Amino acid sequence: MAGRVGLVLGLALAAPAAMAAPESEAPMPPDLAPADVEIELPDTDALIDPLRSRVGFAVRMRWLSRVEGSFDRFHGIVAALEGGWRRVEVEVESASVEVGGRQRMTEWAASDEFFDIENYPVIVFVSDPFAPALAIQGGQLPGDLSLRGTTARVAFDMRPAACARPGHECPIIVEGRVSRAKFGMDAHRVAVQDRVELRFEVMLADPDGAP
């Protein structure tokens, strides 16, 4: 994914089927061995359903007001890896940013002071491999976030599932905070706090292509 700006969120979770997977896998923690997990998941990649999913963000102003926005166009995949492991890959089109119907705030979010959509058209998040149990139990989901030409390690949180079949009966929710200064988003540091909140609410497409 060199040369592309990456995000999900996650949280979501997913990316295009054609998206290349890293050649090497991160070591697996022994307490999350896939063999110990009894969760029914397909053995093939699961695509994100963009019509039923949401990728959102929020920033807080110094005077404590909170500005929320979202991205309308994104795609992704929960990739099935060898041994039963999974990896989330999400690609978001930064030009689809929208800030609650507020035109001036939307233009600011799209400008070179924030997401800089002209120079960095996509945001990508690729998680480390994880056991399927994480989608039920919840827990930390580390990975690589590419934003504004910078790729950095981040650690998002996958929330415990609210149903028996997360991604189908209820969304898989991944959320966390990143430092905007780390990704070159350092304009208006007096007026805007450094932390950007990211949230992915992910529903997966049916294996046959229907929601």
Side-chain angles (χ1 to χ4, degrees), residues 115-150:
F115 290 116
D116 194 1
I117 65 173
E118 290 190 7
N119 293 309
Y120 307 106
V122 293
I123 300 165
V124 178
F125 174 66
V126 179
S127 78
D128 291 351
F130 62 91
L134 190 67
I136 294 290
Q137 301 167 356
Q140 193 171 78
L141 181 67
D144 294 320
L145 176 65
S146 299
L147 177 63
R148 288 177 53 105
T150 298

Side-chain angles (χ1 to χ4, degrees), residues 149-174:
T150 298
T151 298
R153 294 289 295 171
V154 297
F156 292 145
D157 290 315
M158 188 180 294
R159 295 179 57 179
C163 64
R165 300 180 65 232
H168 297 281
E169 298 173 352
C170 63
I172 299 170
I173 298 178
V174 177

Side-chain angles (χ1 to χ4, degrees), residues 75-89:
H75 51 254
I77 193 170
V78 177
L81 307 179
E82 184 177 355
W85 298 94
R86 299 293 188 269
R87 179 173 55 239
V88 172
E89 304 171 7

Side-chain angles (χ1 to χ4, degrees), residues 18-142:
M19 187 175 290
E23 296 181 359
S24 61
E25 307 296 351
M28 308 303 176
D31 57 336
L32 288 178
D36 299 332
V37 178
E38 296 181 0
I39 296 177
E40 184 178 349
L41 287 177
D43 294 331
T44 57
D45 298 344
L47 296 177
I48 194 173
D49 182 352
L51 298 180
R52 298 190 298 153
S53 303
R54 183 179 185 274
V55 176
F57 68 93
V59 294
R60 193 172 294 277
M61 315 305 283
R62 292 296 181 185
W63 48 91
L64 300 183
S65 63
R66 192 167 184 268
V67 177
E68 297 184 357
S70 62
F71 297 94
D72 294 334
R73 296 190 300 274
F74 52 89
H75 51 254
I77 193 170
V78 177
L81 307 179
E82 184 177 355
W85 298 94
R86 299 293 188 269
R87 179 173 55 239
V88 172
E89 304 171 7
V90 184
E91 183 174 291
V92 178
E93 295 183 30
S94 60
S96 69
V97 64
E98 171 73 25
V99 181
R102 301 164 66 179
Q103 183 63 28
R104 291 185 62 184
M105 291 300 296
T106 297
E107 291 175 354
W108 173 69
S111 75
D112 58 4
E113 293 185 347
F114 212 75
F115 290 116
D116 194 1
I117 65 173
E118 290 190 7
N119 293 309
Y120 307 106
V122 293
I123 300 165
V124 178
F125 174 66
V126 179
S127 78
D128 291 351
F130 62 91
L134 190 67
I136 294 290
Q137 301 167 356
Q140 193 171 78
L141 181 67

